[in-house]
Amino acid sequence: MNSLPLRDLQLDGHGRLVLTDLDGVAHVGVTPVRAHPLSAPDEGVSLVGTHGHELAWVPRLSTLPEGPRRLLEAELAAREFHPVLKRLVSVSTFATPSTWRVETDRGEVDFVLKSEEDIRRLDEGRLLITSSHGLQLQLPDRWALDRHSKRLLERFL
C-alpha cells in the first residue's frame, strides 16, 4: 500500500502541476496551499484542483520522496512571496506613517508602515511586517539584527 496521498506529481509541458491520485486519475493544474505558512510551513499542504476542491492532503512535506517534495517546495516558493528582512537601513520618522528602507533577501526595498499594528509579533522573536501595499516581510529573529536595526525597530514595538 502506498503511504503517500498521491501516486505521482509532475509538471506537464506547459508548466502546470499534474497530480495523479491513488485511483490513477490525472488532475492538471493543481495548486499547493499551505495550511499554516508562517507557524508550521512543513506541516499541512493541501493540493487543490482547478475547481477549488482539495484533491490530496500532505500532512508533512518532509516525509515525501525527494522528487515530489522538491517540486512542491518550488511551486510553493513561486506562489508565496515573503521577503526576509535582514537589516533596517533607515526610517523617515519615528511616528507612523513612516517610510522604511530595508535590506531583504531579495534586495533593498522602501515601503510605508501605516501603523505600529502592522508589525505582528509571532513566537520566538519572529515578526511579520506588512507594508501599506500589503507586502509582508518576515523577520525570523529580531534579536539577531545588528545594533542599528534593533534601535530603529524598537521605536515601533
Side-chain angles (χ1 to χ4, degrees):
M1 173 157 163
N2 191 344
S3 64
L4 300 176
L6 50 104
R7 180 179 288 171
D8 188 35
L9 191 65
Q10 59 188 351
L11 289 178
D12 69 6
H14 300 285
R16 296 175 297 189
L17 197 59
V18 179
L19 163 77
T20 303
D21 64 22
L22 295 175
D23 295 326
V25 177
H27 303 273
V28 179
V30 173
T31 303
V33 180
R34 292 185 205 266
H36 307 284
L38 297 173
S39 60
D42 184 55
E43 297 177 19
V45 175
S46 178
L47 301 177
V48 179
T50 56
H51 297 292
H53 298 286
E54 183 176 281
L55 301 170
W57 176 257
V58 179
R60 188 174 220 88
L61 272 176
S62 58
T63 62
L64 289 176
E66 184 176 352
R69 179 180 44 80
R70 285 184 185 252
L71 187 56
L72 282 177
E73 287 172 345
E75 289 292 311
L76 288 164
R79 189 176 149 77
E80 300 168 343
F81 182 71
H82 296 284
V84 175
L85 194 147
K86 297 197 172 277
R87 184 172 72 91
L88 278 77
V89 177
S90 64
V91 294
S92 64
T93 179
F94 292 115
T96 54
S98 64
T99 301
W100 290 32
R101 172 163 285 226
V102 297
E103 181 183 320
T104 73
D105 63 336
R106 311 280 177 122
E108 272 197 15
V109 66
D110 292 339
F111 68 90
V112 174
L113 181 73
K114 289 188 299 187
S115 73
E116 289 86 359
E117 287 80 33
D118 291 328
I119 301 174
R120 183 173 164 199
R121 295 175 191 204
L122 304 172
D123 60 344
E124 300 172 359
R126 297 182 310 136
L127 299 175
L128 184 65
I129 302 171
T130 305
S131 77
S132 62
H133 293 295
L135 174 66
Q136 293 183 324
L137 297 106
Q138 294 183 49
L139 180 55
D141 183 1
R142 74 183 215 207
W143 310 115
L145 288 172
D146 62 87
R147 177 186 282 179
H148 174 72
S149 297
K150 283 181 190 175
R151 277 189 294 155
L152 292 177
L153 182 62
E154 286 172 2
R155 300 274 188 123
F156 295 91
L157 294 178

